[in-house]
Amino acid sequence: MEDFGPDIVHVVNPVFIGAAGIFYAKKLKIKVVASYHTHVPKYADYYRIGMTKPILWWYFRLLHNQADLNLCTSQSVLKELNEQRFKNVHYWKRGVNTHQFGRHHRDIKWRQLVTNHSPTKKSCCMLVD
């Protein structure tokens, strides 16, 4: 990071590598934005290891509370993170700019190319020669 010299560091769900990103950003006095995407403590219930939830919340709170800004992708998670004493949490509205990427930009030739001539298939992949 010293060589690259970023103005800001964005860590996504800091666990291991993200923790290093936070550490070095703080060491170099670079602003940190963290985003919370994977709701790991909820997985503890699913995998029947709910007794680990307090440790998971502690660890995620420890990392996220070092960020200058924390982003999450739903109002329900925002509420829960606030209840778990995460700091500087904000809702990150995401989506597609329909003005810039609306139907009026549709190009059937491009669609044919990227869908291998199956533009109505629900799932497809692009073939590269």
Side-chain angles (χ1 to χ4, degrees), residues 14-61:
V15 179
F16 301 113
I17 295 173
I22 292 171
F23 173 79
Y24 284 108
K26 289 295 184 183
K27 181 179 174 184
L28 299 172
K29 298 182 180 354
I30 300 169
K31 295 281 186 184
V32 175
V33 173
S35 52
Y36 187 94
H37 298 274
T38 307
H39 207 12
V40 175
K42 289 287 186 190
Y43 291 167
D45 289 334
Y46 177 79
Y47 289 109
R48 297 187 180 127
I49 54 170
M51 70 289 224
T52 64
K53 285 171 71 170
I55 294 166
L56 292 169
W57 280 120
W58 170 83
Y59 184 67
F60 279 98
R61 184 174 42 251

